[in-house]
Amino acid sequence: MLLQLLLAGISHAREPVSAVQYPAKITPEMLLGKKLFFDPLLSEDRQTNCASCHLFSHGGSYPQAKTPMHNGRKSRYNSPSVFNLSQNYPLGWEGQLTSMQAQMHSLVNKQAKMGLSWDNIENRLRQQADYNSRFTRLYPEGITRKSITQALVTYQLALTTPSPFDAYLQGDESAISEDAILGYELFKRYGCVSCHQGQKIGGNLLQKIGVIEPYAYDPDDSSQASLGRYNTTENEADIQVFRVPSLRNVAQTPPYFHDGSVSTLEDVIRLMARHQLGREIPVTDVTLIVAFLESLSGSPHPTLMP
Ligand code: HEC
Ligand code: HEC
């Protein structure tokens, strides 16, 4: 028995994916970031907050292909989850953002999504007594774009979502169904794990969609979403290259792909097998892989929820 436990421990330690945990401690900085994340004061119309496009009831993402933005247009890309971001590197579908701080500055400076400049955000927050006292307690400089960013980043990095699969990885063999266990084995055997790996089961590589079998796209799409990383680098080799998405909570975040063009996991898995691995896989295996992906759903720490 002991030997079995030891062996189980050893084999899990060698897994190509690893578990996430809740933050050891919920800090005042996280809670300040939480207040900012849900505060529509950060938007010009005082109606949009970060969660308008990153819904906690939808795995931290958005239920439609593209998000409506403050500037009246639709976002170029499907909204990604804001959960489990700590090792998503780089950020953005094009991998265009090198840090969480850079993401926040890009969001505010473009004024496309929420429409408010840093000056306006700072001024609005400085008029709030509660923000003033909470900021000065945490940051010597008080309310500045830097401290606002820092609080928001700290909050988001605390949004880990331990799932039944994490319990399984840590040795609880009964935490997920037989089907999910078989699905995980298939996920490794087919080679999905070569791109979707690490603690976030993705999120840390840039890869082309259609590495083996070319993936068709609409050359007339005015959003140019399908050009992917090319939009950032203008290097032809980067056409259709995207950050490999993390698969945590993926069962909760349809529609899928950079453009939200695929609505079910079954279809995504078939497309992945065909275009990324060059093979058709039987429907029974698709079903098992879905069971595995469903075991990756969890929620942020209750204190960090809306
Ligand atoms: C109008 C919709 C909208 C609003 C409001 C919005 N976001 Fe986003 N967010 C998006 C979309 C769309 C993307 C994908 C952008 C890309 O990949 O180029 C994104 C990307 C991100 C990312 C990168 C995630 C990753 O894995 O690459 C983070 C972090 C993020 N948003 C945080 C925030 C924060 C913090 C706020 C509030 C200050 C916010 N968002 C407000 C739509 C929105
Ligand atoms: C060569 C790298 C690679 C391999 C192998 C691979 N993927 Fe992917 N996966 C990607 C990329 C890149 C995307 C993003 C595609 C896009 O948005 O157009 C993606 C997207 C996905 C998504 C959608 C996630 C979302 O939030 O939109 C799922 C689910 C997925 N893959 C599962 C799998 C499964 C299951 C396998 C094995 C059958 C697999 N992948 C094999 C690179 C890969």
Side-chain angles (χ1 to χ4, degrees):
M1 184 62 191
L2 184 62
L3 183 66
Q4 261 171 354
L5 281 176
L6 278 173
L7 286 174
I10 289 167
S11 72
H12 283 309
R14 285 209 198 104
E15 293 298 328
V17 300
S18 55
V20 296
Q21 271 150 3
Y22 280 140
K25 183 166 154 241
I26 305 300
T27 65
E29 194 180 25
M30 290 173 194
L31 296 175
L32 176 58
K34 172 179 169 183
K35 184 171 158 76
L36 290 164
F37 193 90
F38 293 97
D39 197 337
L41 267 189
L42 268 58
S43 66
E44 144 87 335
D45 59 10
R46 295 175 193 261
Q47 286 178 22
T48 312
N49 60 24
C50 305
S52 303
C53 300
H54 300 285
L55 279 72
F56 276 46
S57 57
H58 200 73
S61 75
Y62 193 73
Q64 285 163 32
K66 309 276 173 94
T67 57
M69 303 198 292
H70 172 79
N71 66 7
R73 301 222 295 267
K74 288 275 173 86
S75 58
R76 176 178 275 169
Y77 295 114
N78 182 242
S79 171
S81 174
V82 285
F83 299 161
N84 307 296
L85 283 180
S86 73
Q87 288 168 14
N88 276 19
Y89 179 81
L91 292 159
W93 281 101
E94 297 170 12
Q96 74 275 31
L97 302 161
T98 51
S99 68
M100 294 287 291
Q101 284 77 3
Q103 186 277 327
M104 190 59 200
H105 284 284
S106 162
L107 173 79
V108 176
N109 292 333
K110 283 192 190 147
Q111 296 193 19
K113 292 191 175 116
M114 302 175 86
L116 213 57
S117 68
W118 273 124
D119 286 342
N120 284 325
I121 294 175
E122 287 167 351
N123 288 337
R124 279 197 190 170
L125 298 183
R126 282 176 190 146
Q127 284 160 26
Q128 308 280 320
D130 182 46
Y131 275 126
N132 273 312
S133 63
R134 288 168 78 170
F135 269 96
T136 33
R137 239 176 287 147
L138 288 168
Y139 311 100
E141 74 272 26
I143 298 177
T144 65
R145 56 203 70 187
K146 194 166 164 231
S147 55
I148 296 166
T149 300
Q150 202 45 48
L152 272 166
V153 169
T154 304
Y155 171 61
Q156 291 174 87
L157 292 182
L159 298 175
T160 50
T161 64
S163 65
F165 180 71
D166 293 289
Y168 170 74
L169 270 187
Q170 286 161 329
D172 179 357
E173 304 277 331
S174 63
I176 63 175
S177 67
E178 294 270 295
D179 281 3
I181 296 176
L182 292 171
Y184 175 48
E185 291 307 317
L186 290 171
F187 186 80
K188 289 190 282 186
R189 221 176 299 156
Y190 278 124
C192 310
V193 82
S194 63
C195 290
H196 299 277
Q197 26 96 344
Q199 203 180 41
K200 309 301 143 82
I201 318 171
N204 57 2
L205 290 175
L206 297 167
Q207 272 290 349
K208 191 179 169 93
I209 169 115
V211 262
I212 309 277
E213 170 86 27
Y215 189 76
Y217 68 92
D218 172 10
D220 296 328
D221 170 16
S222 62
S223 77
Q224 300 190 318
S226 50
L227 295 179
R229 188 161 173 74
Y230 174 84
N231 289 317
T232 295
T233 63
E234 296 191 5
N235 175 350
E236 297 224 339
D238 286 335
I239 293 178
Q240 290 189 298
V241 168
F242 297 97
R243 206 259 321 272
V244 175
S246 160
L247 299 186
R248 288 193 171 273
N249 300 300
V250 74
Q252 300 178 340
T253 63
Y256 302 109
F257 284 0
H258 63 279
D259 53 1
S261 58
V262 184
S263 44
T264 69
L265 279 179
E266 285 81 359
D267 285 345
V268 170
I269 294 166
R270 271 190 290 270
L271 289 168
M272 280 286 128
R274 184 177 309 148
H275 296 278
Q276 305 306 75
L277 298 163
R279 58 193 299 177
E280 302 296 321
I281 62 178
V283 65
T284 43
D285 286 1
V286 171
T287 310
L288 295 172
I289 296 175
V290 169
F292 160 59
L293 295 179
E294 284 172 343
S295 77
L296 296 173
S297 294
S299 298
H301 191 285
T303 319
L304 302 176
M305 293 286 281

